[in-house]
């Protein structure tokens, strides 16, 4: 068990206290795993790639092809990659560098995020407080930040992190709005819906760090789940670790340095009456390398009513607040999200 409970001195100050908080779960896992290996290798696939340059190229045929590719991937995969997305490599690299600087701060400082970084209290999160088994534990830390904490904030000119986040958040928001508009119009929804309902105070950026984990294959970086929003846009590094369900089996997503990853959330699956797929995904741990990513979540107002595009719908009508509260209650009670099956008619 010594190898499990040992941390490198270089990371002790910055890493959350996983080993202390989950000492019992780690010890039980070590005892059960003695002489066995639960590391399962899954096949690595390329996600569909959509070139968004066709939307602005001036050719109607290419624009329609691009929209159809987005719609097809949302139905068949629930995940796709976009290139020529309008966010420069320079900005992505700077965002990553500033994110790493933030996470390299001592844990004690990060955990006081409202004083240290001026984010709202509760923005910094780590592990899984409700975990009762090793499969429910997420070996990761994150800053889950409302865009209202970022866009138009009053901060000093020397606050490079926040100014970089503001620039990135503005660009990724416009990208999300465009993609959501295309998917919504295909369902016969108003093109104004997302501008009116998914505003900065309702949307989030989540900066993630997945530290090296001593029990690879048994502990997730992020446990299997679907996203509770309309769309998620992800920028990940080249370490890899993102996996999703395709045709009933888990596959690994091959990193593409030129692309952003887009995935459909639960709300779009309801809106589309199951045409678009909100697909289960997870992050697996790495025993040697840390991994970074940043996700943007396109979410509506809490009182926004979500209903299927046609009757009879697969799901009953509900507000986003009701859906989110049910998810949080299930996670507290069971240790994991149940999600859409709760709302099936």
């Amino acid at each position: 068990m010594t190898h499990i409970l040992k941390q490198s001195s270089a990371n002790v100050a910055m890493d959350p206290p996983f080993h202390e908080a989950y000492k019992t779960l780690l010890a039980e896992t070590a005892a059960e795993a003695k002489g066995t290996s639960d590391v399962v290798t899954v096949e690595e696939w390329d996600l569909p790639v959509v070139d968004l340059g066709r939307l602005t190229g001036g050719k109607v045929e290419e624009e329609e092809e691009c929209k159809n590719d987005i719609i097809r991937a949302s139905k068949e995969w629930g995940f796709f990659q976009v290139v020529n997305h309008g966010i420069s490599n320079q900005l992505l690299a700077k965002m990553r560098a500033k994110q790493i600087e933030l996470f390299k701060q001592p844990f004690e400082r990060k955990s006081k995020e409202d004083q240290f970084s001026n984010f709202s209290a509760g923005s910094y999160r780590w592990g899984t407080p409700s975990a009762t088994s090793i499969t429910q534990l997420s070996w990761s830390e994150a800053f889950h930040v409302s865009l209202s904490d970022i866009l138009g904030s009053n901060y000093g000119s020397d606050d490079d992190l926040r100014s970089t986040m503001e620039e990135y958040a503005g660009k990724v928001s416009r990208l999300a709005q465009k993609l959501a508009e295309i998917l919504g119009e295909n369902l016969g929804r108003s093109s104004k819906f997302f501008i009116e309902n998914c505003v900065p105070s309702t949307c989030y950026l989540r900066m993630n760090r997945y530290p090296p984990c001593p029990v690879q294959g048994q502990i997730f970086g992020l446990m299997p789940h679907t996203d509770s929003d309309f769309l998620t846009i992800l920028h990940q590094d080249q370490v890899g670790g993102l996996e999703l369900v395709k045709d009933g089996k888990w596959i690994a997503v091959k990193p593409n340095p030129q692309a952003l990853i887009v995935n459909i959330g639960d709300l779009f699956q309801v809106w589309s009456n199951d045409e678009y797929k909100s697909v289960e995904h997870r992050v697996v741990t790495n025993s040697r390398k840390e991994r970074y990513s940043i996700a943007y979540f396109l979410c509506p107002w809490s009182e926004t009513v979500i209903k299927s595009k046609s009757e009879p719908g697969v799901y009953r009508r509900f507000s986003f607040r009701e859906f989110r509260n049910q998810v949080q209650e299930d996670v507290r009670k069971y240790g994991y999200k149940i999600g859409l099956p709760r709302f099936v008619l």
Side-chain angles (χ1 to χ4, degrees), residues 40-77:
V40 178
T41 302
V42 300
E43 191 176 351
E44 190 175 59
W45 289 26
D46 288 300
L47 292 179
V49 178
V50 179
D51 182 354
L52 298 183
R54 293 175 292 170
L55 293 176
T56 55
K59 295 183 178 180
V60 175
E61 299 85 356
E62 288 189 354
E63 184 178 350
E64 288 306 308
E65 276 183 10
C66 183
K67 290 180 178 180
N68 288 334
D69 286 347
I70 291 167
I71 293 163
R72 186 182 308 110
S74 299
K75 292 179 177 181
E76 296 177 2
W77 283 77

Side-chain angles (χ1 to χ4, degrees), residues 52-53 82-96 164-177 179 205 233-235 257-262 294-296:
L52 298 183
V82 292
V83 295
N84 292 320
H85 41 66
I87 304 177
S88 70
N89 289 336
Q90 291 82 358
L91 178 56
L92 292 173
K94 187 176 182 182
M95 186 66 242
R96 173 175 161 76
T164 303
M165 289 180 70
E166 181 171 21
E167 183 180 1
Y168 180 79
K171 289 183 180 296
V172 77
S173 294
R174 288 190 287 275
L175 173 60
Q177 289 278 350
L179 294 172
L205 279 184
I233 298 179
L234 179 76
H235 177 234
Q258 303 303 317
L260 297 176
I261 294 173
V262 181
I294 181 167
Y296 168 88

Side-chain angles (χ1 to χ4, degrees), residues 40-256:
V40 178
T41 302
V42 300
E43 191 176 351
E44 190 175 59
W45 289 26
D46 288 300
L47 292 179
V49 178
V50 179
D51 182 354
L52 298 183
R54 293 175 292 170
L55 293 176
T56 55
K59 295 183 178 180
V60 175
E61 299 85 356
E62 288 189 354
E63 184 178 350
E64 288 306 308
E65 276 183 10
C66 183
K67 290 180 178 180
N68 288 334
D69 286 347
I70 291 167
I71 293 163
R72 186 182 308 110
S74 299
K75 292 179 177 181
E76 296 177 2
W77 283 77
F79 269 78
F80 55 96
Q81 301 177 96
V82 292
V83 295
N84 292 320
H85 41 66
I87 304 177
S88 70
N89 289 336
Q90 291 82 358
L91 178 56
L92 292 173
K94 187 176 182 182
M95 186 66 242
R96 173 175 161 76
K98 291 301 170 185
Q99 180 181 357
I100 291 173
E101 282 182 19
L102 177 64
F103 280 113
K104 295 296 184 184
Q105 297 294 319
F107 170 73
E108 291 301 327
R109 193 176 184 200
K110 288 183 288 191
S111 59
K112 298 180 177 66
E113 73 282 89
D114 53 334
Q115 302 167 34
F116 155 56
S117 55
N118 292 322
F119 297 143
S120 296
S123 298
Y124 179 69
R125 305 169 183 185
W126 63 275
T128 311
S130 59
T132 57
S133 69
I134 208 71
T135 57
Q136 296 174 1
L137 171 59
S138 291
W139 198 271
S140 57
E141 59 178 331
F143 284 90
H144 191 85
V145 185
S146 168
L147 262 62
S148 58
D149 274 1
I150 304 168
L151 299 176
S153 299
N154 294 318
Y155 52 81
S157 59
D158 59 339
D159 194 337
D160 211 17
L161 168 66
R162 294 177 72 85
S163 62
T164 303
M165 289 180 70
E166 181 171 21
E167 183 180 1
Y168 180 79
K171 289 183 180 296
V172 77
S173 294
R174 288 190 287 275
L175 173 60
Q177 289 278 350
K178 183 60 179 176
L179 294 172
E181 182 181 316
I182 290 169
L183 290 167
E185 285 182 343
N186 180 59
L187 301 176
R189 303 286 186 169
S190 167
S191 61
K192 296 181 180 179
F193 175 87
F194 294 100
I195 291 291
E196 295 172 349
N197 289 277
C198 300
V199 299
S201 61
T202 66
C203 299
Y204 294 86
L205 279 184
R206 183 182 178 97
M207 295 177 286
N208 302 297
R209 174 179 175 259
Y210 301 92
C213 179
V215 196
Q216 188 183 8
Q218 296 173 292
I219 300 176
F220 294 112
L222 198 60
M223 63 184 291
H225 67 287
T226 58
D227 289 348
S228 301
D229 58 359
F230 275 108
L231 279 181
T232 302
I233 298 179
L234 179 76
H235 177 234
Q236 63 168 347
D237 61 22
Q238 301 308 297
V239 172
L242 176 63
E243 297 183 351
L244 59 92
V245 175
K246 173 62 174 167
D247 299 331
K249 67 177 183 180
W250 286 100
I251 64 167
V253 175
K254 186 176 181 179
N256 180 341

